[in-house]
Amino acid sequence: MERLKGLKCRECGRHYPSSPIHVCEFCFGPLEVDYDYEAIASQISRAKIEAGPPSIWRYAPLLPLNIPEGETPVGQAVGFTPMLRARNLAEELGVKELWVKNDSVCHPTWSFKDRVVAVAIGKAKEFGFDTVACASTGNLANSVAAHSAEARLKSYIFIPADLERGKVITTLIYAPTLVAVEGTYDEVNRLCAEVGDKYRWAFVNINIRPYYAEGSKTYGYEIAEQLGWRAPAHVVVPCAGGSLITKIAKAFNEFRLLKLIPEGETKMYAAQALGCGPIVTMIKKDTDVLVPVRPNTIAKSLAIGNPADGYYAYRAAKDSGGYGEHAEDEEIIEGMQLLARTEGIFTETAGGVTVAATKKLIDSGRIPRNEPIVICITGNGLKTPDVFYDRLSVDVTIRPSLQVFDQALADLKSKAAG
């Protein structure tokens, strides 16, 4: 029985055959993959998943690729990242049960974007494209460059010209064609839409977007499986375009539909920087009207002022009974340091947004202190060390002498004692 029916419009429900399109030609609503869950139910079980590879491909029946038997998909090591019981951070935040889903170590480029890109590149190959492309705030650029290299596809990657140097270098190493555009991400994205109309390229987050977005579901599947086949009561998700929070919610709903986890509710919370937080603003004002903003934040990977899935992210939070919270730049820094100091995890600025927003949601009583909480860490701090250049320094510099060290140690202890 066929698993994939094709595409359908998220607004009017109109159906389309599987092809590289992303917008309904009748109502201009976004398209998403349409599955036959009865067929999937006959192909999937907890035992089959657990016997699968330690990657996103253990959930292959729930992904929109047709993988021939015996063939290894692009991104063979992507996913199945650690799910850590964060006892030290829980103690600091004053909560009973806190988990960190840590995609800062997702292979190959240390962010959750490897999940979506692995699926998108696989689908681009199925459609016969020889060139892939994207508009990116950094992590997507890294991942498209890496996966297109693995797939032996040409790649064109468009980024804002002021992107962190670390993310530029970690893209260039894979030898794509990198185009730096003097403008915001939203301006880069508009340019890419025009380029996509002219050239037959697979833009992973434009014409391949319905398939690309499905890769985010694996983040939610792993949370449920690694918690012992249950969904948490609360999940805090950093939001840029807004797709990830909607797909984690979809993952839990699919697992419940397929009876892989028990019935229940998971409240979804959006985390954004105050300098670019249009989705959280919608949630706080309880309005489904998204007002685009011009980003001004150190959290550049979340700096999308007009998020494509903003409305659906708002719905995911509101319909689940969750909420949203902003984080100021100084709070983002403090969140990064808190996670590093308590759990030994160096996250990028997006993770700082998540930790800071979680703290505020707990302190305000929006998230109860006695229920299971998962926070989503989606990228590695080694890509964005810039924010600490003027904030951190070595404690002391000495000559290689034990006597000198003894004196330095005494001085440090004296200084610490006040």
Side-chain angles (χ1 to χ4, degrees):
M1 191 182 294
E2 187 65 41
R3 294 180 298 112
L4 305 177
K5 295 180 178 178
L7 299 174
K8 68 177 179 182
C9 177
R10 294 170 78 173
E11 291 300 320
C12 71
R14 190 176 295 272
H15 292 267
Y16 294 85
S18 185
S19 60
I21 56 174
H22 66 113
V23 175
C24 177
E25 61 186 33
F26 289 90
C27 73
F28 301 107
L31 302 180
E32 67 176 357
V33 179
D34 189 15
Y35 295 96
D36 184 335
Y37 290 106
E38 185 178 348
I40 291 172
S42 67
Q43 301 174 26
I44 201 167
S45 68
R46 289 185 183 179
K48 288 180 179 177
I49 292 172
E50 290 169 348
S55 71
I56 63 171
W57 305 114
R58 65 203 283 113
Y59 310 107
L62 285 159
L63 296 175
L65 295 185
N66 297 305
I67 304 171
E69 190 172 347
E71 183 172 306
T72 302
V74 174
Q76 56 184 307
V78 173
F80 214 61
T81 55
M83 178 85 160
L84 308 169
R85 181 75 183 264
R87 289 185 170 83
N88 297 335
L89 182 58
E91 183 178 339
E92 291 260 357
L93 299 181
V95 297
K96 182 179 179 182
E97 183 180 344
L98 182 68
W99 298 81
V100 172
K101 178 59 176 169
N102 185 15
D103 258 27
S104 71
V105 293
C106 193
H107 288 294
T109 67
W110 300 353
S111 88
F112 91 101
K113 290 295 185 183
D114 287 330
R115 300 174 182 274
V116 288
V117 172
V119 174
I121 297 287
K123 202 64 188 180
K125 288 184 67 178
E126 281 187 20
F127 286 136
F129 287 99
D130 66 3
T131 303
V132 295
C134 71
S136 174
T137 56
N139 284 325
L140 183 59
N142 293 171
S143 192
V144 169
H147 285 90
S148 59
E150 180 187 349
R152 311 291 284 176
L153 297 175
K154 292 175 282 190
S155 60
Y156 287 81
I157 294 168
F158 299 76
I159 58 171
D162 67 347
L163 205 59
E164 300 100 326
R165 189 64 181 162
K167 287 183 176 173
V168 174
I169 296 298
T170 49
T171 298
L172 288 171
I173 192 65
Y174 302 105
T177 299
L178 186 63
V179 183
V181 180
E182 295 176 347
T184 66
Y185 170 82
D186 297 293
E187 291 168 326
V188 176
N189 200 41
R190 281 197 293 274
L191 170 63
C192 286
E194 294 173 2
V195 173
D197 287 339
K198 184 170 183 178
Y199 298 95
R200 190 181 182 278
W201 296 348
F203 272 88
V204 301
N205 52 347
I206 300 179
N207 56 342
I208 305 294
R209 188 176 183 86
Y211 313 97
Y212 155 94
E214 290 295 284
S216 290
K217 294 190 306 181
T218 61
Y219 198 102
Y221 298 150
E222 290 176 19
I223 289 174
E225 182 182 352
Q226 291 170 320
L227 278 179
W229 297 105
R230 65 183 171 106
H234 310 275
V235 180
V236 185
V237 187
C239 290
S243 176
L244 179 60
I245 189 172
T246 69
K247 294 305 180 182
I248 293 175
K250 183 177 182 180
F252 295 151
N253 290 335
E254 286 183 337
F255 266 17
R256 291 181 180 118
L257 176 67
L258 295 166
K259 303 190 184 309
L260 295 171
I261 61 174
E263 291 295 324
E265 297 293 334
T266 300
K267 294 182 179 179
M268 308 296 298
Y269 301 83
Q272 289 195 300
L274 184 61
C276 186
I279 295 171
V280 170
T281 298
M282 292 174 72
I283 295 168
K284 288 185 172 181
K285 292 185 176 179
D286 195 15
T287 172
D288 61 5
V289 177
L290 187 144
V291 178
V293 301
R294 191 168 186 86
N296 181 19
T297 173
I298 61 170
K300 293 186 184 298
S301 64
L302 301 183
I304 297 179
N306 189 15
D309 283 303
Y311 167 75
Y312 298 102
Y314 157 75
R315 296 277 4 151
K318 181 175 175 58
D319 294 349
S320 69
Y323 198 62
E325 191 53 85
H326 292 114
E328 297 184 21
D329 282 357
E330 196 59 37
E331 294 171 329
I332 295 169
I333 297 289
E334 293 170 1
M336 295 170 72
Q337 292 177 306
L338 177 60
L339 184 63
R341 177 168 57 78
T342 55
E343 299 298 336
I345 296 172
F346 184 18
T347 179
E348 65 169 349
T349 48
V353 172
T354 305
V355 173
T358 301
K359 183 176 187 304
K360 295 168 83 170
L361 288 163
I362 292 168
D363 290 344
S364 66
R366 289 281 180 180
I367 296 181
R369 296 182 183 274
N370 61 347
E371 296 180 359
I373 306 165
V374 171
I375 65 172
C376 299
I377 300 302
T378 53
N380 195 292
L382 292 174
K383 297 182 180 186
T384 58
D386 316 41
V387 296
F388 289 111
Y389 283 166
D390 297 327
R391 296 171 184 268
L392 300 177
S393 62
V394 297
D395 292 303
V396 64
T397 301
I398 62 171
R399 290 182 284 109
S401 159
L402 180 58
Q403 185 179 8
V404 173
F405 172 73
D406 288 343
Q407 183 59 54
L409 183 60
D411 291 345
L412 287 170
K413 287 183 176 179
S414 176
K415 183 179 178 182

